[in-house]
Amino acid sequence: MKIFADTANVEDIRTACSWGIIDGVTTNPSLVARENRPFEEVVKEICEICPGPVSAEVVSLEAEGMIQEARKVSSWAPNIAVKIPMIKEGIKAISVLSQEGIKTNCTLCFSPNQALLAAKVGATFISPFIGRLDDIGHRGMDLVEQIAQIYDNYDFETEIIVSSVRHPQHVVEAALIGADICTIPFAVLEKMFNHPLTDVGVERFLADWNKAGLSL
Ligand code: E4P
């Protein structure tokens, strides 16, 4: 499973990339707004740090506006995937952008039918929002399972990005389902490394080594 960093913070992206585990980055308007920097500047810097796909979202709600914004944003770097919301106008825009060879990430997906429509118009990625479904008492991962099954049935090439991840268990479930990608907030990425038995083990090995006066 590919791992994307779900953040617009360049320091966090740099750190996560230095671990060698990051295949791409996703941002959204809320994440970019948190950085207090111009959109174009942040996106370009992220694209330089990470050679994989970097999602940057349009804000227009009409197809024509989305298409214009997408052409502009995608010209900033070759690895940009333009994020387009899962609304009628968004699907219309993705259909045009796919034909132009512009990578798209259909965002705010909450149902298998929405994912089917996005795949039909050639979206590069679909982003089901798992955590937000869990928040309202649904089982977000059921949606990922259904999308995976539908895409498999018809050999759709659209890749599933498990999004709105809240904790490490979401990542495990995404990987067990066989999702193509999981986009993970920095705080969750850090938690994935941790296990108390690892810490105890490292401490004990070192203590025994030092007690015996060994050296390397
Ligand atoms: C990523 O593509 C999404 O925008 C992000 O995962 C949404 O996460 P949230 O539901 O925690 O805002």
Side-chain angles (χ1 to χ4, degrees), residues 91-104:
I91 290 297
K92 229 159 105 179
I94 292 171
S95 164
V96 172
L97 295 166
S98 307
Q99 285 166 42
E100 293 181 13
I102 292 177
K103 288 187 281 295
T104 54

Side-chain angles (χ1 to χ4, degrees), residues 6 26-28 31 34 55 57 83 105 107 127 129 131-132 135 161-166 183 185:
D6 193 22
T26 51
T27 70
N28 63 37
L31 291 172
R34 237 178 258 170
S55 289
E57 193 157 340
K83 248 181 163 183
N105 175 353
T107 188
S127 291
F129 276 37
R132 292 192 195 187
D135 289 345
I161 307 183
V162 174
S163 306
S164 187
V165 160
R166 301 272 197 262
T183 190

Side-chain angles (χ1 to χ4, degrees), residues 49-134:
I49 301 168
C50 174
V54 172
S55 289
E57 193 157 340
V58 296
V59 288
S60 174
L61 294 179
E62 262 128 51
E64 203 39 54
M66 287 178 188
I67 292 165
Q68 297 308 329
E69 289 177 13
R71 287 179 184 145
K72 183 174 170 186
V73 170
S74 66
S75 75
W76 293 342
N79 51 333
I80 285 177
V82 184
K83 248 181 163 183
I84 312 260
M86 175 55 237
I87 56 177
K88 285 194 190 93
E89 291 293 299
I91 290 297
K92 229 159 105 179
I94 292 171
S95 164
V96 172
L97 295 166
S98 307
Q99 285 166 42
E100 293 181 13
I102 292 177
K103 288 187 281 295
T104 54
N105 175 353
C106 183
T107 188
L108 291 165
C109 170
F110 293 97
S111 82
N113 274 335
Q114 291 179 326
L116 175 61
L117 298 175
K120 295 234 17 134
V121 291
T124 317
F125 303 105
I126 183 75
S127 291
F129 276 37
I130 300 323
R132 292 192 195 187
L133 279 170
D134 288 355

Side-chain angles (χ1 to χ4, degrees), residues 4 19 22 32 34 53 84 92 104 125 131 138 146 160 163 175 195 201 214-215:
F4 286 7
W19 296 330
I22 297 300
V32 173
R34 237 178 258 170
I84 312 260
K92 229 159 105 179
T104 54
F125 303 105
H138 289 247
Q146 289 170 333
I160 303 172
S163 306
H195 198 287
L214 293 165
S215 64

Side-chain angles (χ1 to χ4, degrees), residues 13-33:
I13 293 168
R14 242 182 261 282
T15 303
C17 285
S18 76
W19 296 330
I21 56 163
I22 297 300
D23 303 293
V25 174
T26 51
T27 70
N28 63 37
S30 306
L31 291 172
V32 173

